[in-house]
Every structure is written in structure tokens, then in C-alpha cells.
Amino acid sequence: MKPLLPLIFERSVAGRTGYSLPPAEFPLEGIEQLLPQDQVRQKLPLLPEVSEGDVIRHYINLSLLNHNIDRGFYPLGSCTMKYNPKVNEDVSRLPGFARLHPLVPEENAQGALELIYRLEQYLAEISGMDAVSLQSVAGAHGEFTGLKIILAYHKARGDFRRQTILVPDSAHGTNPASAAMVGMKVVQVASDANGCVSLEDLRAKTDDTVAALMLTNPNTLGLFDVNIGAIADIVHAAGGLLYYDGANANAILGKVRPGDTGFDVVHLNLHKTFSTPHGGGGPGSGPVGVKSQLAPYLPVPRVVQGGEGYSLDYDYPQSIGKIHSFYGNFAVNIRAYAYIRMLGAEGLKAVSEDAVLNANYIQARLKDAYHLEYDRLCMHEFVLSAKRQLAKGVKTLDIAKRLLDFGLHPPTVYFPLIIEEAMMIEPTETEGMETLDYFIEAMLQIAREAEENPEIVLGAPHTTPISRLDEVGAARNPVLKWQP
Amino acid sequence: MTGEKGLKFTKEHEWLRIEGNRVTVGITDFAQKKLGDIVYVELPELDEEFVEGDAFAVLESVKTAADVYAPVDGIVVEVNDLLEEEPALINTDPFGEGWIAVFEAEGDIDTSGLMDTAAYRQYAEEEE
Amino acid sequence: MGKHYLPNTGPQRRQILQAIGVGAVEDLFSYIPEKLRFSGLLNLPDPIAEPQLVDHMEELAGKNNVEAVNFLGGGIYDHYVPAAIDHVLSRSEFYTAYTPYQPEVSQGTLQAIFEYQSMLCQLTGAAAANASLYDGATTVAEAALLALNATKGRRLLVAGSMHPSYRQVLATYLEDFGAEIEELPLEGGKLKAEAIAPRLGNDVAALIVQSPNFFGIIEDLPALGKLMAAEKGLFVVATDPIALGILEAPGALGADVITGEGQSLGINQSFGGPLLGFMGVADKLVRKMPGRVVGQTADAKGRRGFVLTLQTREQHIRREKATSNICSNQALCALAASVYMSLMGPQGLREVAAQSLAKAAFAREQMTAVPGVELPFAGPFFKEFVLKLPQPAAKVIAAMADKGYYVGIDLGRFFPDMNDCLLMAVTEKRSKSEILGCAAALREVLA
């Protein structure tokens, strides 16, 4: 096989080194004698032998093969690929943060604890909750934590029957997977003709075994479920709780607070709504907020403020316990803190307004060229379908690949599952009208191509470093590592 | 490709070959087309016991995974090990070499809920 | 303030509104019933400009003391982070990319993950590794879930010498699973293989140990591996990747699952996060492994490329039947670890390990020479060890911090009966003079 770029192992030259270590000061010869003799490593791992310059060149060349938000538009629905402010990167790397060990005496970490304490308060205010924990490091981790809290709450009331988590059929896959991870049974609730939760189906499925309903609002179709009040009443009347999946919170900052609309628990994705970068898949941060009656169950430790400053408090006997080695993704939380401080209340509100404005603009201009299942105002994202193009043999996947030829990242595709040939488009507020127009023109051109010259769409991408890859072969005969 | 004569069909798009108390199970051509290229088959173990309706095997394509359900209460007496190396047999010969497992039924086999070839064809067409 | 992140101008907003066919931005929200909407302004501090933000953040950072000489461990270590790492991590192409769902424009991330998986397999002796999990603690919990799923056993034998926080997280994760966690007793700070044998059986899903363990002691992995070889249950080993520069790969000693905390591989301490949970598994467990995995394949023109593969294990496809709910992982931290392992190479990694061991041995000698300081455990150790003090550890630690030394972790935090013990870690960064200085300070504090 012709390599696009050599693997770093293939750049290796025996004897070459890329490290600079402090002086040993002690003889290292025979140091193995201090170890159990049957555990001394006999054969060193075959790591690459390369110079620092080799390493930098290798990774810079790799990096050039990536699309990224700093290079161009990235309208991945439900992922909120907004611009990541540079100053946040700088301040997260201040030595006072970056070199701070998590187990230093608390009086030596007052700045870090203060930041955690304040950010928890800000997020509580934004989400309309009473208490927040920053410990969960990803959205799914937040879901897990939130569901554990809900179960602990039910159990503490002597209610052990609650074995069911309701999720809408449009939900993210993490919702049912998280429910399974806390040992719960998942029951799916159907959507109604408006793309929202079917109240009828919800009533039919809600009984005294329901622990909670997990809901994204706006949902994955980008639609705000205006029945949320009724939904909350149905679930609460049966003794269940309402869980808010914050994946789509970028639509509602300063506009709607989940806590004011009946939700008992939320998680927020700081790597979506609060501008922390995605890092090619992580690290993120998925703080959990709760109403006061659930606060005793939050994970430990909690950061508290007392006469002598801030401290870590483990004394919550009803807590679900620990969920992370230390206190969550602190350096990610620094970035979100900085973002909120720079935007303030007005700025955050403007963020959601522009996010919704931009999404509606694209929707309005593309709905004649592509099928739009739910033709109404959307929030920060919306879902088109390639149903119409399918008649010419052009699938959503082909449209996605064709977009790459325009230097654009495709939308989220084939999700939500309830829309055939789905394309979920979320522009975010950090794109200006010219960028949106460029995307719109590209989508319109592809729609024309699908009519007149489908071959060019079917064969896409034409301009990327590599063309479509054999995913079937990759899964049938997995090659998951380099071998010498 | 091996034909589908004499087989019975379930609503889950499985075919059954019933010989005495032995039932061979596979998935239909319609089902394999829906799933796309099968990349991996999670097979049951020999002598494993299932209740009718239990998932006894999983078929995986790149983007989906589908359970295959036990047609009867019984134990697995044969497993098509070839699928471990060549899952594509389910695509290329679903009614023949792509068979998945043979069950030995515990009691009488109730065929009343099953379809014959003609009925299944109509059923699959409607689902299309 | 902060509006410089919002490019639309007033006239552009008006044009957009016109295209949508509404009069004002408010109209886009007006279908949401009034009573659901938040009227008024969030109660947040007034926005500040970038220069003020920098001042404010410097002030906060300045309230943390990172000047003291660092002998802290317990899962996070002050190993040297080479300068080149942050330069790679600071590339927009890596840190502002999303999960590589579109392989044609994500080969950079995908190849980097493939290389990371490869290096991890080299280091740990695993047959396959995933693209990362959250941290050391949750990775142990994921390993336990994997074992329960793969073996159908219900009992988990867990070393009492494993990091207490990891055991706590494990307990949180398994609480609702009907699995039983049995804590294995210790002798002299480590496990006794003979005491484990009678507990084994077909209902055991896994034996879970950490080596070097929480106290820095190297467990008898060869004996444990032999013990588990004939068992249905899995042998799960949490380890310190730096130690593997000098210690045998757990995969070569019979481990079925190798996990742990990868922070030592070039990741900042950052008050405990983000971290790097790593996991490698034996061949038979590849399809049961949680997390993303990258595989090698080719495009139509025969060019080598990489894709996310075996995705049917994951939540976006298998939903409630997925091997885990993990979606976002710690990809950028895995990239840091790859750059670190590339820079170090086999020789460098061995030297980091050897230096850490040599300096730790010297430190242990110096500290125990201080009157009243004892070694409660004798076993062979790697870069970390326990000291027993004649006074409460918390008090000594505070006094030492005043003298400019983070001498160690108060074990009373984790074990009430060990409040006169501290855990001291020594990396290659510590110099002889720092160690001597620390010993001298300890002598004064205890005098």
C-alpha cells in the first residue's frame, strides 16, 4: 500500500534520539537490581527512534491533513463547532494552573478552587439550577453522573421500583447507553407530527417504574419542544424526574433556563456551548447541575467556601461517590470560565440569538432544494433530508463527501435516526453571513449536480488528500496497530 | 446462491429449515441486503440454551448491528464457524453457506406464526 | 464585550432576518411560551475585555503555589514535559478538529491515534488499544464492566493496594450492577498471591490489581498472572506507563486488560485534569473493548489510510447495548502521549524510568535517615514510597510546604489509620540537591 505519509515508526533510525533529560547524578548501571528480577524488562518497547525535528515535522505534516474550525466552516449538527478563543488557550496554560498538582495542600490551591467554585455558580445561574459539579469530563460522563444522582434520590426515598429511563426516539445514542451503564432499562418514546415528544406515547409509557425522562431541548431536530411544561407534569406526576441533555444548550443561553422549565438535572457540554476546543475528540467537560433536593447526591468532593477560603469537602454521606480520579477536566473548565467572564450575560444571550439566526437563515435558503421534514422556525440547528436527491441515486453520504471538495466540513449525517437520509446542520454564531452564503451556494450547487450530473457527486471527494476508504475491509480484518 | 425452497420465514427476516426437531437458522436475502456488507458475526456457543425470541447471534455491518433471534426453545447443536473468518458468506449465499446455527428444539415446533416463501415475499415487498 | 467572536454586523442581521421572513431576532423565539422564557438578564459578573481577563486569570493562577519542590504523586507526577509537545498540541489542525468522522479530511488525527495505539501496544504488551478513555480511575471501572460482560462472572477481586480513588470510582460505577467487589487484603503494602487462590472460581469476572501499586510497591505480577492463566476471569492490571520503561510489559505476564493513567506521558498536572485513561486488551477482547478504535485500510487508489472502525461496539450505533456510553474521550491527551513516546524513544523512556528509580532510592535513603522517620513497607518499589512519621502527616506536610517542599501526600486522607504516613514520589526532574534540601528541611520540622 502506498502510504499517504509514513508512520512515525517508519521514520525511525536506530540510535537516533529526541529527548533531553536532566543529569542522572547517580549511576544508572545495574539499577535493575532494585527491582524484582522476574519483572525486569528484557526487551525495550519498539518506540520510534527519531529526533525532535523529525517529531515536529511528522506531526505538522499529519496536522495538514485535518479539517478544523480554524481552517473553515464545520457545521456538524449537535456538536456546536464554534470558534475557540485564543486567549482561553493561553490562560489555561499559565504555570499557576498547568503545574498545579491536585493533591497540594488546599491553601496552596486557592486560585484553582476559587475558579471551580465560581464557575459552578455561573453554570447554575445559566441553567437555572441550584448546585453544579464540574467533575464529569464529557457529556456522556455527565449523563452517567446525572442518572446516578437520580437513582440515588429515588433509593433514598425508599423507592426501589424505578428501573426505567425514558428516551425520545430522536435522542443521542449516549442517552440509552448511559441508562444501561447505571443498570436501567431503556424505553423509547415516539415523536409526534411536529417532531416533538408525543404526549400520548409519553402518557402511555409513564408509570411508577420510571426513574427519569432524558430530553434534549431543543431536540436533535433543532426544534424547541413547547410542550415541555406538560411533559414535566406527566413525568413528575408519576414520581419520575426530568433530565436535560445539554448538547443543544447553545440555542438557549439567557433565553430559556432548563431549571425554569421543569428539569431537575442537567449536564452542559463546555466543549460545545462554552467554546472549549474539541481536541480531535476530547478532552471535553460535562458539568452536572441539579435542583436543591438532589444536591446531597452530587459527586464528591465538592468545593465549598468558608472562613479560611475554599476547600474540598468530602462529607456528603448521601453522595453517589467519586466519579473521577481528581476533580474533573480542570484545564478545560478554565477555558469555559474565561469565556463566560468575557461574554457576560448580554454576550451569552447574543451568542444564542446569532446561533439561531444563522441556522434559520440556512434553513430558509435551502428548504426549496432539499427536503425539510419539519418546516417551521428552528433553533440553533435543523435537519434536511436527501430524500429528493435519492431518486437520482445520490445519498446523504455522497452530498457529505462532495462538500469536502468545497473546503467545507459536512453536517452530521444519518442522525437523528428518525429522519431518512438526514443531514443535521448547525452553523453556530461565530460564522458570518459570507461564510453561510458560501455554504448555501455549495449546497445549492450540489443539489443541481445531483439533478444534472450525479456522477460528480457520487465520485466525491475529488480534492482531498485521500478518497473514500474501504471501511468494510477495515472492520472485517482489523489492523489496529503497526507491527515491525 | 442456494435457493429458498421449503424454508419457513419469521417476521424478523430469518429463514428456518425444520427437519424433525432440528432447526437451521439464517437470515434472508432481503435482510442481508438491508444490512449491507456483514463484517463480523458474533456466534453462540455449542450447547448454549436459548428461549424462543432470545438474541442468540449478532450480525454486524460497518454502521449497524442486528440481533438474530432463537426460533424455538432449545439448545445450539451446530454453529457455522466458517462465518468467523468469512462473514461475507451471509451476503453471498444467505440461504446456503451463510447459515448461522442449528437448534435442537425442546418440544414440538409451532409453525403457525411462520410464513412460507410466497407469504414472505409479499411481506418483504410491503416492508420495502 | 466578547462580541468580537460574533462576526455578523447589524446590516447583515437585518438581511438575514429578511431572508427568513421575520422582523426581529426576538421573533425567532416568540413561539416559545412566555412562561418558559427567561426574561431579564442572567446574574453573571459584568463582561471584561481580553487584557482584563488576562490580568484576572494571572491573579487567580498566582493564588496557587507551584514554586515548591514537588514530591507529590498518587497518580499524577511531575515528570518533565518536553517543550515540543505543547507546540504540537497548539496546532489548530489538531485541537480545533472534531472527532474524525469524515476520514478524508481527518487523516492527521486518525493516523496519530493509530500510532498512539501502536505505541501503547508496544509499551504494555497488549494486542490492541483504544483511542483513550477519561482517566486512570474510570478506566479501571470500564475494565471491570468489560470483564463482567465478557465472562458473565459476578465477582470482582480488587487489590486493596489499588489507588483508593480508583476503588471509590469503581464502587460508584458498579453499585447498580449486582456485581460484588471483594477487596483483597494486603501484607506489607502488597498482595499475597497465596491468599488469592482460595477465592478464585468460575464466578470471578476479574482480578484487578495495580502495579506499581498506590504505595509505590511492585506487585508480584508473574505469580498473579500464573494464578489467573487457568481461570475464566480476566487479569486486569493498572500500571504506570513510565515504569514500563524498565519493568516487564504486563501483557507478557498474563494480563488480559492493561489500563492506567497516562498523565506521566507528557501531560500537564493541571490540578488533576485533563488526564489520559489508556486501555489495551488481549486479542480475544478486542470487540468487547470500550472506546474508539482506529484501523488501517486503503482508498480506491490503493493508498493507505485510517478510519474509525469496530464502531458497532459504540453508543451511536448500539445505543443501550453498547460496550460503554463513552463518546468524547481524551484525544488531545493521547496525542501528547504519542509525541512524548516518540521523543523519548525506547532509550529515553528507559532513562526516565531508571533516573526516577535511582533518585527515588536516594530520596528514600535520605528521608529514612532523618530521626523518627521509618519505612513501614519493605517491598521493591518504583518511584514512590511510604514514610512513617513521628507526628501527624498533615502537620508535617504543612510545615514542609512553608519551607518550599511538597514532601508528599497525607495518607490519612485515604486511610484513617495511616494519618502519620505520607506518600513521597520522585521523578527524574528532582535533583540531588533538592532531595538533600528536602531531607534537611524534614529534619528541622521533626526536630
Side-chain angles (χ1 to χ4, degrees):
Chain A
M1 260 186 297
K2 288 168 284 183
L4 206 54
L5 284 178
L7 293 170
I8 187 119
F9 299 94
E10 293 160 353
R11 293 179 187 268
S12 186
V13 178
R16 196 175 278 179
T17 58
Y19 62 89
S20 170
L21 290 170
E25 298 187 281
F26 303 97
L28 299 182
E29 292 288 313
I31 193 77
E32 294 87 351
Q33 281 164 17
L34 295 176
L35 303 172
Q37 288 310 292
D38 57 353
Q39 292 197 58
V40 175
R41 189 152 192 147
Q42 298 302 317
K43 196 169 147 277
L44 288 181
L46 290 176
L47 296 174
E49 295 182 77
V50 284
S51 71
E52 181 179 318
D54 293 337
V55 172
I56 290 296
R57 192 165 287 168
H58 176 72
Y59 285 101
I60 299 317
N61 277 299
L62 277 186
S63 79
L64 296 175
L65 303 175
N66 274 358
H67 187 80
N68 56 93
I69 191 68
D70 284 358
R71 172 174 178 265
F73 193 41
Y74 218 133
L76 267 177
S78 266
C79 300
T80 315
M81 292 298 286
K82 61 170 75 179
Y83 174 70
N84 311 130
K86 297 303 160 198
V87 68
N88 298 353
E89 295 304 305
D90 287 358
V91 297
S92 72
R93 287 167 162 85
L94 288 170
F97 295 133
R99 294 187 192 160
L100 187 62
H101 191 284
L103 300 175
V104 298
E106 285 164 5
E107 54 272 27
N108 298 101
Q110 285 298 301
L113 293 171
E114 181 178 341
L115 188 149
I116 292 173
Y117 184 82
R118 288 192 188 193
L119 180 57
E120 287 180 351
Q121 289 195 318
Y122 302 162
L123 296 176
E125 169 69 10
I126 292 166
S127 60
M129 291 289 160
D130 297 317
V132 167
S133 164
L134 298 182
Q135 295 222 29
S136 24
V137 299
H141 200 210
E143 291 175 20
F144 169 81
T145 305
L147 291 178
K148 292 292 291 188
I149 290 169
I150 288 169
L151 292 190
Y153 164 82
H154 288 310
K155 283 196 241 168
R157 291 153 45 96
D159 189 347
F160 296 93
R161 289 163 303 176
R162 301 195 179 264
Q163 297 295 320
T164 307
I165 301 289
L166 300 174
V167 298
D169 53 10
S170 61
H172 298 112
T174 49
N175 292 177
S178 299
M181 266 186 104
V182 300
M184 292 279 107
K185 197 177 94 202
V186 177
V187 173
Q188 199 158 293
V189 183
S191 298
D192 67 9
N194 296 316
C196 293
V197 171
S198 158
L199 293 180
E200 196 189 340
D201 198 41
L202 179 65
R203 276 194 201 97
K205 286 171 178 165
T206 304
D207 57 23
D208 63 3
T209 68
V210 168
L213 166 70
M214 298 180 86
L215 203 61
T216 314
N217 198 19
N219 64 20
T220 57
L221 296 160
L223 304 173
F224 190 91
D225 201 324
V226 293
N227 292 330
I228 182 61
I231 292 169
D233 289 345
I234 293 169
V235 176
H236 285 153
L241 297 180
L242 229 60
Y243 182 95
Y244 184 86
D245 173 343
N248 293 343
N250 207 44
I252 59 156
L253 300 173
K255 297 298 224 178
V256 177
R257 304 196 308 169
D260 299 339
T261 63
F263 286 95
D264 305 288
V265 182
V266 309
H267 87 258
L268 296 167
N269 298 71
L270 304 189
H271 48 288
K272 297 181 180 178
T273 316
F274 296 92
S275 87
T276 77
H278 285 74
S285 180
V288 170
V290 296
K291 285 296 176 82
S292 56
Q293 72 270 24
L294 296 167
Y297 310 100
L298 283 168
V300 287
R302 297 194 41 202
V303 176
V304 294
Q305 189 184 20
E308 287 174 24
Y310 299 91
S311 56
L312 293 164
D313 192 350
Y314 288 84
D315 191 16
Y316 292 88
Q318 290 185 292
S319 164
I320 61 165
K322 272 184 76 67
I323 58 156
H324 185 259
S325 298
F326 298 97
Y327 328 117
N329 277 348
F330 177 69
V332 177
N333 297 334
I334 296 172
R335 292 167 171 92
Y337 174 88
Y339 181 72
I340 293 171
R341 290 306 307 264
M342 279 192 75
L343 282 138
E346 289 279 7
L348 289 177
K349 199 162 134 187
V351 161
S352 286
E353 289 178 349
D354 272 12
V356 172
L357 190 72
N358 283 353
N360 276 289
Y361 178 58
I362 302 177
Q363 178 178 271
R365 291 203 49 202
L366 290 181
K367 70 181 182 187
D368 292 333
Y370 294 90
H371 176 73
L372 176 65
E373 184 78 25
Y374 299 99
D375 187 2
R376 46 182 265 206
L377 287 176
C378 65
M379 294 293 279
H380 67 307
E381 69 187 6
F382 62 98
V383 180
L384 293 177
S385 163
K387 229 163 145 174
R388 213 174 294 166
Q389 286 69 30
L390 203 56
K392 296 274 177 180
V394 173
K395 302 189 297 289
T396 283
L397 184 72
D398 305 311
I399 295 167
K401 298 303 182 195
R402 182 64 180 139
L403 277 168
L404 298 174
D405 289 332
F406 293 83
L408 294 162
H409 196 282
T412 295
V413 293
Y414 297 105
F415 188 84
L417 306 172
I418 56 172
I419 301 284
E420 187 191 345
E421 298 293 320
M423 292 181 277
M424 186 192 217
I425 299 167
E426 179 182 11
T428 85
E429 74 285 0
T430 61
E431 304 297 338
M433 192 179 174
E434 325 76 87
T435 309
L436 308 180
D437 283 334
Y438 178 72
F439 173 74
I440 290 163
E441 292 307 327
M443 286 292 285
L444 294 175
Q445 182 179 326
I446 295 169
R448 279 194 304 274
E449 288 172 351
E451 280 296 317
E452 297 157 10
N453 183 15
E455 292 310 312
I456 193 162
V457 186
L458 296 172
H462 305 280
T463 58
T464 50
I466 200 154
S467 54
R468 292 193 202 187
L469 288 149
D470 177 11
E471 297 195 36
V472 171
R476 275 192 184 150
N477 300 302
V479 177
L480 308 179
K481 62 176 194 249
W482 165 84
Q483 271 172 318
Chain B
M1 191 158 74
T2 317
E4 53 195 284
K5 283 208 181 80
L7 302 180
K8 294 280 181 196
F9 299 88
T10 71
K11 290 195 167 115
E12 283 76 38
H13 303 281
E14 290 145 6
W15 58 260
L16 313 177
R17 179 179 298 116
I18 303 168
E19 295 156 310
N21 67 342
R22 283 167 58 93
V23 185
T24 310
V25 190
I27 66 162
T28 65
D29 192 44
F30 174 85
Q32 71 80 15
K33 279 187 183 133
K34 279 273 171 208
L35 284 170
D37 293 317
I38 303 296
V39 297
Y40 180 70
V41 183
E42 195 180 310
L43 292 165
E45 283 179 34
L46 273 184
D47 297 331
E48 213 174 332
E49 250 189 275
F50 291 94
V51 174
E52 184 179 335
D54 280 356
F56 76 90
V58 186
L59 307 180
E60 297 185 3
S61 65
V62 170
K63 294 277 156 76
T64 53
D67 289 331
V68 190
Y69 302 100
V72 291
D73 294 357
I75 60 166
V76 175
V77 291
E78 277 183 63
V79 171
N80 187 358
D81 294 330
L82 277 182
L83 296 175
E84 273 175 20
E85 293 300 312
E86 274 190 84
L89 288 174
I90 290 185
N91 296 115
T92 54
D93 192 6
F95 297 111
E97 282 196 89
W99 66 277
I100 300 169
V102 180
F103 284 80
E104 206 170 84
E106 267 172 14
D108 292 340
I109 299 171
D110 175 14
T111 59
S112 59
L114 301 173
M115 291 172 271
D116 63 14
T117 307
Y120 176 70
R121 279 215 181 122
Q122 199 186 342
Y123 173 77
E125 253 167 50
E126 278 163 17
E127 194 145 296
E128 186 71 82
Chain C
M1 292 290 177
K3 296 280 173 69
H4 58 298
Y5 305 139
L6 306 179
N8 280 330
T9 61
Q12 285 182 319
R13 286 196 183 91
R14 279 193 292 281
Q15 265 181 282
I16 290 177
L17 285 168
Q18 209 173 3
I20 300 169
V22 296
V25 173
E26 266 312 308
D27 298 342
L28 297 172
F29 295 87
S30 58
Y31 69 90
I32 300 174
E34 188 82 46
K35 65 175 185 341
L36 296 178
R37 271 182 283 158
F38 180 71
S39 53
L41 216 48
L42 294 169
N43 180 18
L44 295 172
D46 288 338
I48 51 178
E50 189 172 303
Q52 280 67 52
L53 176 80
V54 173
D55 288 348
H56 171 62
M57 297 304 281
E58 280 176 349
E59 191 198 326
L60 277 180
K63 292 182 192 171
N64 302 322
N65 176 7
V66 292
E67 299 306 316
V69 182
N70 189 344
F71 291 100
L72 302 172
I76 303 282
Y77 301 92
D78 187 26
H79 287 289
Y80 184 64
V81 178
I85 292 178
D86 207 36
H87 286 265
V88 175
L89 298 193
S90 298
R91 290 290 295 196
S92 292
E93 294 88 339
F94 285 125
Y95 85 85
T96 80
Y98 197 71
T99 303
Y101 288 137
Q102 297 289 338
E104 294 87 347
V105 289
S106 309
Q107 284 300 302
T109 295
L110 287 162
Q111 182 170 330
I113 295 172
F114 181 82
E115 292 173 355
Y116 163 79
Q117 292 170 185
S118 307
M119 291 182 206
L120 214 62
C121 289
Q122 278 295 328
L123 196 58
T124 62
N130 69 18
S132 73
L133 299 171
Y134 304 143
D135 68 348
T138 56
T139 306
V140 166
E142 289 275 10
L145 293 175
L146 186 166
L148 291 171
N149 175 24
T151 65
K152 315 285 178 222
R154 299 318 295 168
R155 288 167 59 218
L156 294 161
L157 308 182
V158 179
S161 53
M162 188 164 72
H163 196 306
S165 297
Y166 293 14
R167 281 187 282 127
Q168 285 165 13
V169 172
L170 181 66
T172 306
Y173 268 71
L174 291 181
E175 197 201 339
D176 301 299
F177 267 86
E180 284 167 50
I181 299 178
E182 291 174 35
E183 191 175 306
L184 298 171
L186 308 178
E187 195 177 274
K190 63 183 288 203
L191 290 168
K192 264 177 79 109
E194 309 87 84
I196 297 171
R199 294 172 182 259
L200 293 173
N202 276 342
D203 55 346
V204 170
L207 168 67
I208 306 178
V209 307
Q210 183 180 22
S211 181
N213 69 25
F214 179 66
F215 305 115
I217 300 170
I218 299 163
E219 296 283 358
D220 192 353
L221 294 185
L224 298 173
K226 268 181 213 125
L227 202 58
M228 292 304 289
E231 295 294 318
K232 238 179 84 188
L234 303 183
F235 183 30
V236 177
V237 177
T239 188
D240 171 2
I242 294 289
L244 302 185
I246 197 165
L247 282 172
E248 190 54 273
L253 300 172
D256 299 298
V257 182
I258 304 134
T259 71
E261 177 52 64
Q263 178 272 335
S264 291
L265 301 171
I267 296 162
N268 284 324
Q269 299 167 69
S270 295
F271 205 46
L275 302 174
L276 171 63
F278 66 85
M279 181 181 279
V281 297
D283 208 27
K284 62 182 178 189
L285 298 171
V286 172
R287 287 175 191 271
K288 307 258 184 219
M289 185 165 58
R292 295 198 178 103
V293 176
V294 169
Q296 179 181 303
T297 186
D299 76 353
K301 292 176 187 154
R303 288 176 296 197
R304 179 174 70 189
F306 302 91
V307 292
L308 292 174
T309 194
L310 310 182
Q311 292 189 67
T312 42
R313 299 165 299 111
E314 293 185 66
Q315 48 78 25
H316 60 284
I317 293 179
R318 197 68 72 89
R319 297 173 82 87
E320 64 268 27
K321 289 182 186 165
T323 53
S324 164
N325 69 342
I326 191 166
C327 183
S328 284
N329 56 20
Q330 304 285 112
L332 204 66
C333 301
L335 178 64
S338 296
V339 178
Y340 183 84
M341 289 188 274
S342 302
L343 290 167
M344 289 297 144
Q347 289 304 332
L349 193 71
R350 190 195 171 277
E351 185 166 339
V352 173
Q355 279 207 28
S356 299
L357 174 56
K359 289 173 176 177
F362 178 71
R364 193 166 85 146
E365 203 179 281
Q366 292 300 312
M367 300 302 150
T368 47
V370 174
V373 179
E374 290 167 30
L375 273 182
F377 306 134
F381 67 107
F382 174 53
K383 66 186 180 196
E384 210 165 7
F385 50 84
V386 177
L387 295 176
K388 195 171 186 307
L389 306 169
Q391 295 173 22
K395 192 176 143 232
V396 175
I397 286 167
M400 288 294 285
D402 288 343
K403 289 181 176 290
Y405 295 94
Y406 287 145
V407 65
I409 298 164
D410 174 9
L411 286 182
R413 258 177 106 126
F414 302 104
F415 306 93
D417 60 338
M418 291 183 87
N419 62 8
D420 58 349
C421 290
L422 66 77
L423 184 64
M424 186 175 198
V426 188
T427 69
E428 82 286 0
K429 269 179 81 179
R430 298 287 73 84
S431 67
K432 190 172 179 178
S433 73
E434 285 172 337
I435 294 166
L436 290 170
C438 184
L442 186 62
R443 198 176 292 263
E444 285 170 29
V445 165
L446 294 180

